[in-house]
């Protein structure tokens, strides 16, 4: 299964999720990206593309505003495969609390 993690800048949350699940679950393919061109270009990370959205079987975002952003640019096309992990933007890369929330909030049957 192809799983895509999306946050705002692809620095803390989505990058941590991608690398965490790559390390602990080899049965899926994982990628991550950011949804804000402004922040992604500022920090030099990966910007989400429509090709990435098409590639993904499941898309995990961290806030409702991420779903709204995807809807704004692609309409309803990808909404059926988007899941909100509801993890706010207050954690650092691989911060213990972020890792624990990811493990707790990520569906076991993904």
């Amino acid at each position: 299964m192809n799983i895509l993690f999306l946050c705002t800048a692809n620095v803390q949350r989505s990058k941590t999720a991608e690398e965490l699940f790559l390390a602990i679950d080899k049965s899926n393919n994982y990628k991550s990206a950011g949804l804000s061109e402004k922040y992604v270009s500022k920090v030099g990370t990966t910007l989400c593309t429509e090709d990435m959205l098409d590639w993904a079987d499941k898309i995990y975002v961290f806030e409702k505003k991420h779903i709204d952003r995807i809807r704004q640019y692609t309409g309803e096309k990808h909404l059926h495969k988007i899941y909100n992990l509801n993890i706010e933007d207050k954690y650092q890369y691989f911060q213990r609390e972020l890792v624990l929330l990811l493990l707790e909030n990520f569906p076991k049957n993904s």
Side-chain angles (χ1 to χ4, degrees):
M1 180 171 304
N2 296 330
I3 297 176
L4 179 62
F5 293 102
L6 299 173
C7 68
T8 304
N10 190 223
V11 173
Q12 318 292 4
R13 296 173 291 173
S14 61
K15 183 60 75 179
T16 297
E18 175 189 18
E19 293 180 12
L20 173 67
F21 290 105
L22 273 171
I24 64 174
D25 179 12
K26 306 291 187 210
S27 67
N28 295 308
N29 301 305
Y30 298 96
K31 289 184 182 180
S32 67
L35 290 166
S36 169
E37 187 171 6
K38 174 184 168 184
Y39 290 112
V40 165
S41 63
K42 187 176 183 178
V43 294
T45 55
T46 303
L47 180 65
C48 182
T49 65
E50 192 149 1
D51 285 344
M52 293 175 91
L53 296 171
D54 290 337
W55 168 86
D57 296 309
K58 292 187 178 181
I59 301 166
Y60 292 91
V61 299
F62 290 82
E63 301 175 61
K64 183 186 177 303
K65 71 179 181 179
H66 298 142
I67 298 170
D68 297 340
R69 169 91 36 121
I70 294 167
R71 179 185 281 130
Q72 175 185 353
Y73 287 99
T74 65
E76 306 291 311
K77 180 178 180 183
H78 301 287
L79 295 184
H80 69 283
K81 57 185 177 178
I82 298 175
Y83 305 87
N84 188 350
L85 295 170
N86 289 308
I87 299 174
E88 57 188 311
D89 191 9
K90 67 177 189 177
Y91 301 100
Q92 297 301 309
Y93 173 74
F94 257 95
Q95 184 176 334
R96 181 178 186 276
E97 292 83 358
L98 173 57
V99 169
L100 292 173
L101 283 170
L102 285 166
L103 292 170
E104 183 179 303
N105 292 2
F106 191 71
K108 305 298 182 245
N109 60 354
S110 291

